[in-house]
């Protein structure tokens, strides 16, 4: 018996040492600095570029859906074009993420950053100080012209002083960074200088992946590191929102048995997107997508209808407090 206790003592001791060593390793190595190229993007005072940037910010790119305080989200849903003063809080297992002030205030906003530093954040997920920017934003493959248009619009706005506290990671979040499970996300290929704005499926694909981020929520993902873990746009991603409801994204592929798109005509899709919010509290930025023009909504619809059908039944999209989607 003494031998058993002795072995157990040593096992517990070794495990405890390993745990302490891991905690120390995470504490010393999670705050990494990263390198990435600075895209050669230049803002402009051209009125057409600024107008395009404004349309993207308040419409399909839905920047305003995150870069305002949480208590202003309802106003955004109503289509109000609020200043992007930051302060939005997004919380899940790996940390509390706070969105930055995007007005050109020098002290608290983007006024002290160069165009290239802002472009690097949007395209390469690396901050001006080299820190990791968790890849919430889908703009890695956004074309140069649209990237410049957004920055140009942000530069044109009045500065608003609004200091936002930094993001704070939980130990789990620090651990996945220390272990290299979360890294900056960059372009999948060399981004285009420009894109043709039309109603084709080709332009729809660009919007779905590089502007509106439909793929970011309507795909199965590992919320620890953001990795895609199933067929893209097949739905099934569960998101716990501040109202304690869990929302599950529907399948956007044209599967006749389980996909929502299979039964929608182009006209019905456009009408639904223009109608705005129906389910209170869901993470879908309805107020922004309702402002999209019909040409772009047609492009999105036409692209989604070209997808290979994926059988993935989402039984419910809204689970109340204390309710949870069935696990796989």
């Amino acid at each position: 018996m003494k031998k058993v206790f002795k072995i157990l003592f040593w096992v517990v001791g070794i495990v405890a040492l390993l745990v302490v060593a891991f905690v120390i390793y995470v504490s010393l190595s999670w705050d990494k600095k990263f390198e990435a190229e600075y895209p050669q993007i230049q803002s402009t005072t051209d009125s057409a570029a600024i107008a395009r940037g404004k349309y993207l910010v308040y419409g399909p790119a839905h920047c305003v859906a995150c870069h305002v305080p949480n208590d202003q989200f309802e106003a955004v849903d109503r289509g109000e074009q609020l200043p992007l003063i930051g302060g939005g809080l997004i919380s899940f297992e790996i940390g509390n993420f706070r969105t930055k002030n995007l007005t050109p205030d020098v002290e608290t906003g983007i006024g002290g950053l160069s165009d290239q530093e802002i472009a690097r954040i949007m395209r390469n997920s690396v901050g001006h100080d080299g820190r990791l920017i968790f890849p919430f934003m889908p703009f890695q493959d956004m074309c140069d012209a649209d990237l410049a248009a957004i920055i140009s619009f942000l530069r044109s706005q009045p500065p608003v002083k609004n200091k936002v506290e930094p993001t704070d990671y939980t130990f789990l979040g620090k651990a996945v960074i220390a272990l290299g499970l979360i890294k900056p996300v960059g372009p999948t290929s060399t981004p285009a200088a420009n894109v043709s704005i039309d109603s084709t499926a080709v332009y729809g694909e660009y919007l779905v992946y590089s502007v509106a981020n439909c793929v970011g929520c309507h795909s199965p993902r590992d919320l620890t590191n953001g990795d895609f873990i199933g067929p893209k746009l097949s739905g099934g991603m569960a998101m716990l929102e501040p109202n304690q409801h869990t929302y599950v994204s529907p399948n956007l592929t044209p599967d006749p048995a389980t996909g929502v798109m299979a039964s929608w005509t182009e006209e019905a899709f456009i009408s639904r997107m223009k109608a705005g919010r129906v389910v209170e509290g869901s993470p879908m930025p309805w107020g922004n997508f309702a402002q999209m023009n019909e040409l772009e909504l047609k492009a999105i619809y036409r692209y989604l209808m070209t997808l290979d059908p994926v059988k993935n039944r989402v039984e419910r999209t809204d689970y109340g407090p204390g309710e949870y989607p069935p696990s796989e």
Side-chain angles (χ1 to χ4, degrees):
M1 183 63 71
K2 286 184 178 181
K3 187 176 181 180
V4 172
F5 278 116
K6 187 175 181 179
I7 293 173
L8 183 61
F9 172 81
W10 280 106
V11 169
V12 171
I14 292 170
V15 170
L17 285 173
L18 290 173
V19 170
V20 170
F22 181 66
V23 170
I24 293 173
Y25 168 76
V26 169
S27 299
L28 294 177
S29 60
W30 78 270
D31 194 14
K32 299 181 178 183
K33 302 299 180 185
F34 297 89
E35 295 291 335
E37 69 173 1
Y38 291 91
Q40 295 308 299
I41 300 296
Q42 188 68 49
S43 63
T44 177
T45 57
D46 177 72
S47 59
I50 291 173
R52 172 68 175 172
K54 181 178 181 179
Y55 170 72
L56 293 171
V57 163
Y58 292 110
H62 60 279
C63 309
V64 72
C66 292
H67 286 273
V68 295
N70 289 33
D71 61 6
Q72 294 184 9
F73 286 169
E74 289 187 9
V76 172
D77 234 16
R78 293 192 297 269
E80 295 185 28
Q81 297 185 345
L82 304 175
L84 282 74
I85 63 172
L89 176 64
I90 304 169
S91 298
F92 56 105
E93 291 89 343
I94 66 171
N96 298 305
F97 297 84
R98 297 177 180 89
T99 59
K100 303 305 180 185
N101 180 350
L102 298 186
T103 74
D105 181 64
V106 174
E107 293 182 21
T108 66
I110 62 171
L113 301 181
S114 69
D115 293 340
Q116 292 72 38
E117 285 174 322
I118 298 171
R120 186 172 78 154
I121 291 169
M122 296 175 68
R123 184 167 281 173
N124 293 308
S125 312
V126 175
H128 71 279
D129 56 0
R131 73 188 185 283
L132 167 73
I133 303 297
F134 195 81
F136 289 114
M137 298 184 290
F139 307 133
Q140 289 79 18
D141 292 311
M142 179 177 279
C143 74
D144 292 347
D146 281 348
L147 202 57
I150 287 176
I151 297 172
S152 299
F153 169 70
L154 296 177
R155 295 278 195 218
S156 75
Q157 296 304 286
V160 178
K161 191 175 296 297
N162 184 43
K163 184 178 180 180
V164 177
E165 293 300 314
T167 287
D168 59 276
Y169 288 95
T170 62
F171 180 78
L172 175 61
K174 293 177 179 179
V176 296
I177 294 173
L179 294 172
L181 300 178
I182 298 180
K183 297 178 181 178
V185 177
T188 58
S189 60
T190 301
N194 213 327
V195 294
S196 296
I197 301 174
D198 53 34
S199 59
T200 64
V202 173
Y203 182 57
E205 181 178 14
Y206 169 74
L207 293 172
V208 164
Y209 278 87
S210 302
V211 180
N213 199 28
C214 312
V215 70
C217 291
H218 286 273
S219 305
R221 301 184 75 174
D222 182 344
L223 292 182
T224 301
N225 57 19
D227 286 349
F228 291 94
I229 54 176
K232 292 180 179 180
L233 297 166
S234 66
M237 179 174 166
M239 294 161 278
L240 177 63
E241 294 300 302
N243 62 2
Q244 298 306 303
H245 283 236
T246 298
Y247 299 93
V248 183
S249 57
N251 180 353
L252 296 188
T253 74
D255 178 63
T258 66
V260 296
M261 299 301 299
S263 61
W264 282 12
T265 64
E266 184 173 276
E267 292 73 19
F269 176 78
I270 293 171
S271 295
R272 176 64 196 93
M273 297 298 290
K274 287 289 190 180
R277 183 171 300 283
V278 173
V279 178
E280 289 299 321
S282 78
M284 179 84 161
W286 285 107
N288 303 112
F289 291 163
Q291 298 184 52
M292 292 176 65
N293 61 49
E294 289 196 10
L295 179 146
E296 297 201 332
L297 290 173
K298 286 180 180 179
I300 289 175
Y301 176 84
R302 291 171 185 180
Y303 170 67
L304 294 177
M305 295 304 288
T306 70
L307 296 173
D308 291 333
V310 176
K311 193 172 295 296
N312 183 33
R313 184 175 299 280
V314 176
E315 297 292 348
R316 290 170 58 186
T317 58
D318 182 2
Y319 292 80
E323 297 183 302
Y324 302 97
S327 57
E328 293 294 333

